[in-house]
Amino acid sequence: MTIVTGSKTEARLRLQSGRSGLPRKVWQHRADYAYVLPAIAVMLVVIAYPIYYTIELSFFNTPPGLQLRDKIFVGFNNYTAILTSEVFWQVTLNTLIWTFASTFVSFVLGFATALALHRDFIGRGVLRAILIIPWVISAVAASYIWKWIYHSDFGIIGAVLVELGLASRPPNFIDSVSTVLPSLIVVNIWREFPFAMIMMMAGLQTVPEQLLRAAKVDGANAWQRFWHVTFPHLRNVSTVTILLLAVANFNSFIIPWIMTGGGPSNASHIWITHIYELAFGRQRWGVAAAYSVLLFLILMTLGYFYVRALSGNERREAKA
Amino acid sequence: MRRITLGGAVLRGAVSTALMASLMSAPALGAPPVDLSKWSPEYVRSIAGTQDFDTARDCAKVTPLDYKGRLTFWYQGVFEGDPDLLRQYYKDFFATFRKTYPNIQLEEQALTYNDLLDKFRTALLGNAAPMAVRLQILGGTEFASKGYLQPLKPEDVGYSTEDFWPGAMKAVTWDGVTYGIPTNNETMAFIWNADIFKRAGLDPDKPPATWDDVVKYSKQIHDKLGIAGYGLVARKNAGNTPYRFMPQLWAYGGGVFDEATANPTYKEIELNSPQSKAALQASYDMYVRDKSVPVSALTNQQADNQPLFLAGQLGMMISHPSDYNVMLDLQKKATGTDKDKAQTVIDNMRYGLIPTGPDGKRAVVFGGSNIHILKPEYVEGGKVDEPAAKAIICMWTSPEWSLKMAYAGSNPGNLNGFKTKWMKERLDSIKFLDVTTSMLPYGIPFPALPQSPEIMNIIIPDMLQNALTGAMTVDQAADDAAKKVKDLMGGGL
């Protein structure tokens, strides 16, 4: 055991008083830094270096006949090529539609389901478990199943509609440029809304029951109780849920890639699938890296709002 | 069942094509083990079972059987569209290799056609590639041109260059150096359901003679029976698409470049020529105008066509001889009345030569796979066990195993395979094999360029999808594809 003597303590205090500002603060928190050092080291290797390398690569051309190490410096040409290409704008529009539609509908559906399941009724637990299934099953398996459900010649939906006489031939869900993206969004919503449901159900647990009762005593109807009591309490969890959904949707890959590969005619290509095809299918590592940098900036912006929402939440809780 | 006699047709067609000269004449080479100028179903039958080979003895001369080493090996293996018979031969091969070379620690990994290139490229970037790899014919040039592969020729594993198809050797040659050995080479054939033809008012024993006939027959089948006529495939990033569209493109006199000529230079882009546009128009007519092909063609692969064909919902398609065995496998898995329906389809399954273009030109993709050895610096651990790699390459490319590993779906890369007793056996057991081997003289290799995978797996399917979805007109889609190829060849971004 180490015994701190009076003279040693004095010496340390002198040393500390000799430092000022940032170094002093760092020194005071040296133990904290030591605790997070391993995590920072890992992040530098697995996150910081890939980010740096991606940014570096985005300034190079990588023709199919050359190895990556023989890449050619082209400055901002990759960024110029991306921003002036028709495909970029088509893919960006697809990505925005995909992200906003999936996020908005998943959230609304999840929230509505959470509200419904918040009430006490027989079979609530079973229903809750069933509704979580789409979220827990493998996205790959789900994509293949939906591919067959949607199949333009022999899909289940088409067969039922034809059998019931509601259509003369199966609807074209994923082999048409106009219907493919909405069809994939439906699958994505089906997979994601349970996540929103779980988050909102957790949020609903935090709404004080006495406030709702008090509002009821004061004559507030169901909508007023929801709007003036429940919803304000769910603002933070809603923000976090929406941001998490948006980030996940911007990064979506499995459903569009497996079901359509981005086709037909790029109609279901979103950023990530397009980046994957550019990199691994066409070996345009430089262009794919430039795309990734742009996507990174967008996601960092979303991440900033996410962190801000969490911080705001903490501040409000601290005040309360 | 009707006996198909194709010898005359094959000889007439084969002799008349410049392509045949490209594939079969090899003036700079020595005499091949089989007489390619006599190629016909009858000739193939006449040489089958005429020679015995001892694989272990032959390979022992390359790598001693007691050699101790370690080998990592990736290969394009069997997938969902392959018959069970082939799966068994793959199992047998690796079991035999381990028995023949008990001291070589083999770590093999099978990948599907559509996944192999992506995974291999990624591994190369991280210097984590296997020591040896068996790639689709399309891939060799890309990796050779980038300097990933070691020079490797048949002589390095105890065979002769003349033992392999000259056309196949082109696909493993870059800048005058050979970087691999063909394991198998194949051409597909035209398959139709005679019962559907009959019910649609077509001659059940006569396949469409031209691609224009395919369009006409497809419409007739669809209009009369309400089912899909021709099994069009236009999925992106799937090898099945170029294998089915390129024969059509070449037959009409088109091409990506001049790859369909005897001595291609790959200088001029032909994708937007009137002939290429005519080929694309034929697909457009079937998909958009007549709606006579599966709507799901844009997301389908051949594996999706197989159940449709077996269910009697598809009249015609292009595929390997193995599709007959696949149908038998699928039929075994069917239950109740489906089993009988499937049997009816199998009984009515017919194989014929792929139709010609308007000028009588017949073409098919000269497909297959090659085997390569990587340079040590790109391999995990930085070392390549060459004797071990050569041992497996010697075995796979031997007359025996190059035939057995292609038993149902392809043909041996090593021409001596045609002389083995197993060839005789498969001629008797694999129905319609003689039809697909009859297509070999019409085979055109994909352009031997590093850009070929992108052209075939992305640009060609994109062109089809752009035209078939109405995103572009046929002219615009062809022009757009030609521009993409031009940009690609010019090193564009």
Side-chain angles (χ1 to χ4, degrees), chain A residues 61 64-69 77-78 81 147-148 151-154 169 172 175 177 257-259 263-266 269 276-277 280-285 287, chain B residues 118 121-122 125 142 145-148 235-237 287 291 294-300 304 308 313 378 450-451 454 458 465-466 469 471 488 491-493:
Chain A
N61 184 16
L66 290 181
Q67 282 192 30
L68 195 55
R69 68 181 178 194
N77 281 10
N78 288 333
K147 195 179 165 189
W148 277 101
H151 196 281
S152 307
D153 294 294
F154 301 99
R169 56 181 300 164
N172 186 347
D175 290 278
V177 287
W257 186 254
I258 287 182
M259 290 184 68
S265 204
N266 296 328
H269 252 321
Y276 180 84
E277 185 181 285
F280 297 96
R282 301 175 57 194
Q283 301 163 81
R284 300 295 196 285
W285 307 101
V287 183
Chain B
D118 287 0
R121 283 171 186 149
T122 312
L125 291 176
E142 175 190 326
S145 71
K146 286 181 174 178
Y148 289 126
R235 186 184 166 91
K236 203 161 145 180
N237 285 308
Y287 191 84
K291 295 181 172 51
V295 180
S296 52
L298 305 184
T299 39
N300 270 357
D304 300 303
L308 297 191
Q313 297 293 321
Y378 304 110
Q451 293 87 352
E454 181 173 343
I458 294 176
Q465 293 198 348
N466 283 334
T469 56
L488 177 65
L493 300 175

Side-chain angles (χ1 to χ4, degrees), chain B residues 445-487:
Chain B
F446 286 129
L449 298 167
Q451 293 87 352
S452 268
E454 181 173 343
I455 293 171
M456 294 301 160
N457 293 339
I458 294 176
I459 295 177
I460 293 287
D462 256 347
M463 177 178 77
L464 276 162
Q465 293 198 348
N466 283 334
L468 303 186
T469 56
M472 293 180 188
T473 64
V474 167
D475 280 353
Q476 286 169 340
D479 291 340
D480 176 69
K483 185 181 175 300
K484 283 176 184 162
V485 174
K486 189 180 173 191
D487 290 347

